[in-house]
Amino acid sequence: MIDPKILAARFPGDFVFGVATAAFQIEGASKADGRKPSIWDAFSNMPGRVFGRHNGDVACDHYNRLEEDLDLIKALGVEAYRFSIAWPRIIPEGTGPVNEKGLDFYDRLVDGLKARGIKAFATLYHWDLPLALMGDGGWTSRATAYAFQRYAQTVIARLGDRLDAVATFNEPWCSVWLSHLYGVHAPGERNMDAALHALHVTNLAHGLGVAAVRAERPNLPVGLVLNAHQTYAASNGPEDVAAEKRAFDFHNGVFFGPVFAGAYPRGFMSALGHRMPEIEPGDMETIHLPLDWWGLNYYTPMRVQADEAPGAEYPATLPAPAVNGTKTDIGWEVCAPALGDLVRRLNDAYRLPDCYITENGACYNMGVENGEVNDQPRLDYIAEHLSVTADLISEGFSVRGYFAWSLMDNFEWAEGYRMRFGIVHVDYATQVRTIKKSGYWYSVLARQFPKGNHSGR
Ligand code: FCB
């Protein structure tokens, strides 16, 4: 087992250790205090979409257990908490009246963090689009980008004075491709045209959101959280090598390109550009506004091979088998070196600001035995990925923090409650929280920070 104190010595003294969650996955109280449904309420209440037809009505009941959960974060000894704000609590119909009671909840959350000396990293959009906006086409409609801008401005006007950092979006790859092309996440579309519209509208909303944050709070660090994919070709054959390049553009370039270089990837545009919505004058400048930081969510690599079926739609790739035998309980290949390859490659391709690892962690479903949860494989997973992170820092990459996904077991989207990522176990029948072995280990590590060797920063 990696000694957390020895690992700690490999990080600069101002490195931020935190834990992460998202509103829909933990809050519950789905009808409380004026909240209206999101697309995830509708999706999870529809049979066949989410495992066991689980939904977010109760989740971890965090909405009603706020103080106790903040005490838990404090007890873990971490310096920062990454959480998301539920748009359907703040502007329940997406546009129209602002719900003060929704804002009050996040006021209490942020004040509770401040009172405990914990930094607040807020995410504005972690997938819970107000359902009413689906009436206009949801993320496929340009109007949603402007609705998001107003929501962003509303949140920052109220909370911005006490936030330490804000991200516009969490993983647009999921809310675009996984939600509109692969049909796995809400709203469950399987349509390239819908997905291409969602892509540009989401990128535009990000840029409009950045502008809204800056207009309210020019000094609040604003960023974007991306689940970049480390793509590997299945073989050295020219077809697979070309397929891997297309996959990189399709899964990464369509977000990194506009945001960090002001353009969609060329190959992607020649294949699919004619099916994109109109890119209006000024859009690319808005999307390309400079960011103070970016967040990387990393779990597993993406291995691809060429799809040689005639007429295969761009990017014309098929999944290729895992190379490492070790998989987590959700079936994801464990491959820590891919995290290093990914950060090096992205920095090669784009000029990136400071990076935070905003999510990393593993699904292991072991339960409580004699009051304890022995999740050694999760501990090992986190330790290995932190070790790669320390390597990256020593190579000179500006990685400033790491957030374990997740603070506690929660609603794992299409997998419902059966897949557990927490460093704290949740018994959903009693809502009892039990810190797992990985949680105690992470706590020893996190408690070393901040420390005195700020290595010249
Ligand atoms: C990420 C999501 C997060 C969680 C983890 C396991 O894609 O951002 O909400 O579900 O995966």
Side-chain angles (χ1 to χ4, degrees), residues 50-82:
V50 171
F51 172 80
R53 218 164 150 181
H54 297 169
N55 64 32
D57 284 357
V58 179
C60 306
D61 197 31
H62 170 72
Y63 193 82
N64 296 310
R65 291 165 198 265
L66 178 62
E67 293 297 325
E68 149 190 359
D69 285 341
L70 293 176
D71 288 344
L72 175 64
I73 299 168
K74 180 74 186 164
L76 287 171
V78 296
E79 199 188 335
Y81 177 48
R82 173 175 178 252

Side-chain angles (χ1 to χ4, degrees), residues 337-352:
L339 169 61
D341 290 349
L342 178 59
V343 170
R344 292 182 200 102
R345 186 171 181 187
L346 289 168
N347 277 279
D348 231 29
Y350 305 101
R351 279 184 55 137
L352 299 173

Side-chain angles (χ1 to χ4, degrees), residues 25 126-127 170-171 174 297 299 332 359 405 412-413 421:
Q25 294 179 276
H126 201 127
W127 310 348
N170 176 71
E171 301 191 356
C174 289
N297 292 357
Y299 292 92
W332 297 354
E359 283 181 31
W405 184 272
E412 180 43 39
W413 307 111
F421 279 85

Side-chain angles (χ1 to χ4, degrees), residues 10-12 15 294 340 343-344 347-348 350 352-355 387-400 455 457:
R10 298 182 57 204
F11 287 88
F15 193 82
W294 77 285
V343 170
R344 292 182 200 102
N347 277 279
D348 231 29
Y350 305 101
L352 299 173
D354 286 349
C355 176
S387 174
V388 170
T389 306
D391 292 343
L392 289 166
I393 294 169
S394 66
E395 288 168 36
F397 293 102
S398 175
V399 185
R400 309 298 308 270
S455 62
R457 282 183 198 262

